[in-house]
Amino acid sequence: MNILPVSLKFNSENRSQKVQSSYATRGFGLKMAAPIQQDMVTFGAVTAKKFIAAEAVKNGASYATAQKAHKAAAEIQTELTNFFKEIFKDVNVTIHGRAKTADSIWLKSGVRGWDTINKIFQNMTDLNGIKIVMNESQNYAKLTSDVVKILNKYIDMNLLILGEIENKRPGITSTFKKAKDKAQYDYIPYEVLDDMAIKACLKSGKPVNFEPVDLTGANYSAVHFLFRLPGQKRFFECQFMGPAEEMVKNFDDKIFKELDNKGTDEFIKTRLAPLKDENDPNSVKLRKLFDKYRADCFLAAREKELKQNKDGYLGVRVPPELAELRLDYKTFMEDYAASKKH
């Protein structure tokens, strides 16, 4: 992975050249909801549940250890969530927080070979998570500026310690010729993120990892940070995005888990069953169509925000094969919501 470490010697005069040369165009496997260094989640990977469980038993921590790690994460999650709710109380955003479950910790520790609680604490940097989501707005640029000001303020006060920044940009933009056409999908301009990294580095005297462009195969847009509160040893991940993008992501996370054979929702499992037979050519074809459709939805969600469009849905063309199976997201979401009422 090609990461730019921002150091005390990295000043604004040579920033542009170094930022341009450090772009990480790493292909089209979606990297989402995880920080830059150790803990990366991949979109579209199909891993058998039994294999994951076996690996967890063989190479990872015990389930009891995973429970201890979850307990430690849960104990500080309320503090993290309340901190962000307080500092953003006058900004038009919604704050979400979550601690990683014991099951998720146990499975990931096995896949990664982290067999002790110390290795989990050192490497699993998504044990705790915060999500900053812009509410519907007539001026997302102003709202984004307000969020950046708050983050910079608390970084400058040493009440937020910044460790990493990852700017996620839709992979399809790699085919665009003009830089401005690519950059319009960024929630925060990379120059602004660059300044944030430099200031944080100068303030703390410690390196800040900065990835100006992380191309995502599912056309997902967001900014991912790693922060730490004073007095805490572990960093936590913090995501920043808009309301349409979050709507798609929240539902797509459920889809991803089932397609990755980690899902637990029977309704979603049944709806996606026609896509999961690897020995059936038609099923394989449907899966490819669906993965492309998912990527189109992420892109359309960001474009919907850019156009300040509150009318209609995402406006994504639904292949007839998927529409017949009620796999377009509008119908899928509505059916899913209805299933929970029974």
Side-chain angles (χ1 to χ4, degrees):
M1 191 178 302
N2 193 13
I3 300 171
L4 171 62
V6 180
S7 69
L8 289 173
K9 296 180 181 179
F10 180 24
N11 57 56
S12 57
E13 291 179 0
N14 61 8
R15 172 182 64 205
S16 178
Q17 180 179 353
K18 291 196 173 187
V19 168
Q20 290 288 345
S21 64
S22 69
Y23 276 6
T25 53
R26 298 177 297 177
F28 268 39
L30 170 63
K31 318 295 192 296
M32 60 189 291
I36 300 171
Q37 291 184 330
Q38 302 98 332
D39 200 20
M40 195 66 70
V41 178
T42 305
F43 177 87
V46 180
T47 309
K49 196 170 186 178
K50 290 182 179 179
F51 171 77
I52 296 176
E55 287 298 299
V57 173
K58 180 180 177 181
N59 298 322
S62 67
Y63 191 74
T65 298
Q67 287 178 312
K68 290 180 182 178
H70 166 72
K71 182 179 179 181
E75 286 175 350
I76 67 169
Q77 186 61 54
T78 300
E79 177 185 0
L80 297 178
T81 303
N82 288 343
F83 175 81
F84 275 80
K85 285 183 176 180
E86 176 62 25
I87 68 175
F88 285 106
K89 64 183 180 181
D90 296 323
V91 182
N92 188 27
V93 298
T94 299
I95 303 297
H96 302 286
R98 70 102 182 95
K100 200 172 187 68
T101 66
D103 283 356
S104 184
I105 294 169
W106 180 69
L107 292 174
K108 182 173 283 188
S109 74
V111 173
R112 304 302 174 86
W114 301 328
D115 57 355
T116 68
I117 197 165
N118 285 337
K119 289 180 181 178
I120 290 173
F121 286 156
Q122 180 180 359
N123 296 291
M124 199 175 292
T125 41
D126 66 338
L127 282 172
N128 292 93
I130 293 291
K131 190 188 295 181
I132 306 169
V133 182
M134 292 185 287
N135 296 327
E136 291 284 354
S137 172
Q138 294 296 321
N139 192 341
Y140 285 116
K142 170 66 165 55
L143 189 50
T144 297
S145 177
D146 291 341
V147 169
V148 170
K149 287 178 182 178
I150 293 291
L151 292 177
N152 277 329
K153 173 184 176 180
Y154 282 85
I155 290 171
D156 190 58
M157 295 168 64
N158 278 330
L159 295 177
L160 265 182
I161 293 87
L162 177 63
E164 293 183 348
I165 304 176
E166 186 176 34
N167 182 37
K168 293 187 174 294
R169 181 185 290 178
I172 189 65
T173 60
S174 66
T175 65
F176 298 170
K177 293 183 178 180
K178 296 181 179 180
K180 66 177 183 179
D181 292 338
K182 300 179 180 183
Q184 68 175 330
Y185 290 91
D186 298 345
Y187 277 104
I188 303 175
Y190 69 77
E191 298 92 343
V192 175
L193 294 174
D194 182 27
D195 284 339
M196 181 184 292
I198 292 171
K199 291 175 182 177
C201 179
L202 293 171
K203 189 70 178 180
S204 67
K206 296 181 180 180
V208 174
N209 291 318
F210 176 39
E211 189 164 8
V213 177
D214 175 23
L215 295 176
T216 64
N219 292 333
Y220 167 66
S221 293
V223 182
H224 288 188
F225 302 94
L226 278 189
F227 287 120
R228 178 172 60 81
L229 295 187
Q232 294 183 354
K233 295 182 180 180
R234 292 188 291 105
F235 283 91
F236 59 90
E237 72 172 31
C238 176
Q239 303 172 26
F240 173 64
M241 66 187 71
E245 194 80 348
E246 195 227 5
M247 177 193 69
V248 173
K249 185 178 185 303
N250 279 348
F251 193 67
D252 194 82
D253 282 350
K254 297 178 177 64
I255 303 300
F256 167 72
K257 287 181 180 179
E258 179 55 40
L259 292 176
D260 202 33
N261 295 305
K262 302 178 195 174
T264 58
D265 189 282
E266 287 300 320
F267 176 84
I268 291 178
K269 180 179 181 180
T270 301
R271 183 63 60 92
L272 293 177
L275 282 63
K276 298 186 65 178
D277 187 350
E278 297 179 0
N279 297 316
D280 180 1
N282 187 57
S283 182
V284 172
K285 176 184 175 182
L286 287 172
R287 173 63 186 273
K288 290 180 179 179
L289 284 174
F290 190 58
D291 282 345
K292 183 182 183 304
Y293 171 72
R294 292 165 65 200
D296 289 345
C297 285
F298 272 114
L299 192 67
R302 181 67 183 123
E303 291 172 349
K304 185 174 186 289
E305 295 166 355
L306 290 169
K307 296 174 183 176
Q308 306 286 326
N309 178 17
K310 292 185 178 181
D311 298 325
Y313 204 61
L314 296 177
V316 179
R317 178 189 173 275
V318 183
E321 300 94 327
L322 299 181
E324 184 177 347
L325 295 171
R326 298 180 68 83
L327 286 172
D328 64 283
Y329 270 19
K330 183 177 187 298
T331 303
F332 203 162
M333 288 181 183
E334 290 172 351
D335 291 350
Y336 175 76
S339 75
K340 300 307 172 186
K341 295 180 180 179
H342 298 305

